[in-house]
Amino acid sequence: MALTGLSCPLGISFLLVVLTLVLSQDIDIPVCSYELIETGKSDHVKHYLIEDVLYYAYKDPQIIKHPCNQKMALYMGIKLFLTKDNFRRSLIPLNIPYTFQVGIPKVTAAIFSSSKLLLAINGNVFGYDYEDNTWIAILDTKEYLANIYAEYCCYSDDYSCTSVSNLVLAYATGEHVSQAHVYLSKSLGFHFEKLELPQMKTLNGILEGFFFFHSLSKYAMLLRNGKVGRFVYTEPPLNESWGMPFEMSGHINIINLPGLKGYLILWDEKHLFFTNNCVENELALLTKSKKFFYGTLGLLSTSLIDIEDDGIGLQNAAIMFESVGNILIVVPEHFQQSPAFDFTICPVNVQHLLMDLEIGLKTCKAEILRGNFNKKLFVLDMNETLKLSATLVPQPSQSPVPVITVSNPHSLGFKVKMYEDGYTYDGNTIFTLNIFLMQQHVSGRAHGSFVSNIKTATLSTITLDLIDRGMSCIDLQPQIGLISIGCNWNKRIIIRRDLTACMKNFLNPEELENNYTYILEKTSYDGSFHSRKQPDNKDLIVDYDYERLGCPLLVYYNSPWKPVIELWKESDFVEVVKTEFILIERNGLFTYNYSLTVGKALCKSQAQSWSSMIDASSTKDLNAWNRENYVNCHEHNENVPLLSPQAEYQILGGSSSNSIIFNQRNGIYIFLLRIVDPYYSYCDLTTVFSVYVYGAFPKRTLPEYVVALLIICFMVFLLWFGYVIPKLTKSNYGNRVKLFCQNLCPKSKKKAVKFHIDKLKK
């Protein structure tokens, strides 16, 4: 039996299962009514240019659906057609300008990425912006990159979701895994860099597929040994086990379905494999023997109906899901008088088809299956819990069994409480399910070897479904949500400002707003952040950003101080942060010290410092020290023994009483503060704030020993003077001095003036 196309809307898990085509029904009725689409040709003729027309490298056509736009799809066959309305208009084939000199424009893979298509053409990667109708060459290598892989998140505009689509992989197949060529893009496919994983050097097999499953936060590879294929993962805990083997021979098609559930379909002319994901899913396929299959891939069984329709046009036919329960068979048609292609489409409404078949399907066991998390994104930060709820209403006299699954049990744990919660107007019982989500490492239900690295942010889907839902529950779809075990981007930290320099009139807000500047003395700052005087320094003029910093906090010099940090979520105060954090003056000021040394902080290994972290980093900036590379010195570390207990301990907060002590310098400090405790939050909680230090007397301009010597000399002089004066008053010289002083006093002057006046009158 040979397949010409297939489609499936949902899926998860990575246990590959062979689909045995055992038919539950074999009926000969029309599958659908054909319709010829031949509209919009005149628009294409106006803009048509003769260029290199692309074609699909493999003989069996397929349709790639846009993961988020249900109306957009790419047909790949004898020609490539990009539709924005599910083939309801005539289309010209997709072509690439001659200037790219691609040679034979053979396409081996294509994906949607942002507002463009990424296509592997003759082993290189090109981008086509379908909004601007422009092409760009992205990756040109000596290797033949025949495959492109990406996953998409359509749940939310949150960064946890949008960042998923940033990752794109391009790779070559048919080579030994240790010599495989894989390229990684973290920019929606605009720029690629070579990816080299050390684990690949230790594996054996021919690389046939390379993936990054966001729902597991792991790289995975499809390896072939002889005619046997298996999945293998590169990171713990999954790297210790291989997937189940299955038969592989020749080229195999791989379809990655949207939804972040890791659902793959692998197929060739003789075999069909799918990843069983513990929920029920729709499957539709078309064979060259004029058979149409539709069914559900269930937890307990797989139900299929087989319809043979002689009217199905097999030449270049492809199949896709337009929506749940609605399938579209597409066949391109070409007439010589126009460069545009028409399309023969055959819509299949599964519900109507099942009613026409009259095969006696059982009634769906549930009337309502609804979750408040369906098609939504939720964020679960470090050590948090999340409560979701769902409603189940059984049909009369039925007892459906709900099942809840998560795609990444290594990171996400859950508990469920189900109870009766009233009745419908028809008297049916309403069941409420409360689902409590938490990180797996705090669930108390998993062995340490099963749990993923807690420091790494991950994703997981959560699915609510019914066991043995069957084809009769087409309208009752699984409830699927996305859980981001990572940073809640609505969180932020601020510094409590109980007392500012403006409140005590040290600074004026109006002056700070009006392009305020201040000077850093050349001996007080180090631009390399190593707290050393730099001989080439000059006095630095700093602009004060009042809009960002506000009025500085007021701090008295030479008094232990540390900031009070508040955690906020959007506009709501959460708590005062008491965990470990670091700070540094952004302009390199080093006129402050820490109250504790490494030894006094009771460290068991050498503590990190700003200078050591900056020296060890490639960036040499203030991002060198963060939660991802922070190491707690209160734990034994053989690689970093305690060698300098007298060094400054530059971590604040946590269990230590460490604080900042400012030196004898008044003025403004601008600090960068960052939470470094990796177990507090997945977020890079960083803020910038300013401090005004006051109360320090001006520094002496002379060295202390010179001042002391002058004071001693002055005291000796006073002693000598006190001894000499009495001696002088008893000598003739002393009498003359005494007479001279008397003449200088005011009384003597008055008498002298009066004498001279009387003399003038005479």
Side-chain angles (χ1 to χ4, degrees), residues 326-343:
N326 290 284
I327 303 162
L328 187 68
I329 300 173
V330 179
V331 181
E333 307 281 358
H334 185 237
F335 300 97
Q336 298 298 327
Q337 63 269 26
S338 172
F341 278 63
D342 301 327
F343 292 93

Side-chain angles (χ1 to χ4, degrees), residues 107 170 352 422 506 620 643 646 697 743:
V107 177
H352 295 165
F506 284 95
K620 309 298 181 184
L643 300 178
Q646 298 305 317
F697 291 104
N743 290 332

Side-chain angles (χ1 to χ4, degrees), residues 395-429:
Q395 292 283 7
S397 71
Q398 297 292 330
S399 300
V401 179
V403 58
I404 297 173
T405 58
V406 295
S407 65
N408 191 354
H410 307 283
S411 296
L412 183 62
F414 66 93
K415 299 177 182 178
V416 181
K417 180 180 179 181
M418 181 176 174
Y419 57 91
E420 293 186 13
D421 195 21
Y423 299 91
T424 66
Y425 289 114
D426 298 331
N428 295 335
T429 304

Side-chain angles (χ1 to χ4, degrees), residues 586-605:
R586 293 187 66 191
N587 297 299
L589 272 174
F590 53 80
T591 53
Y592 60 91
N593 299 296
Y594 294 85
S595 62
L596 294 183
T597 63
V598 173
K600 290 182 179 179
L602 304 179
C603 288
K604 298 178 181 179
S605 59

Side-chain angles (χ1 to χ4, degrees), residues 527-529 582-588 610 614 617 619-626 670-672 674 684 686 688:
S528 66
F529 305 103
I582 55 175
L583 55 76
I584 190 170
E585 213 285 331
R586 293 187 66 191
N587 297 299
W610 275 107
I614 289 175
S617 73
T619 57
K620 309 298 181 184
D621 59 18
L622 300 185
N623 294 318
W625 198 3
N626 51 57
I670 300 177
F671 284 107
L672 178 141
R674 177 177 291 126
D684 179 17
T686 303
V688 176

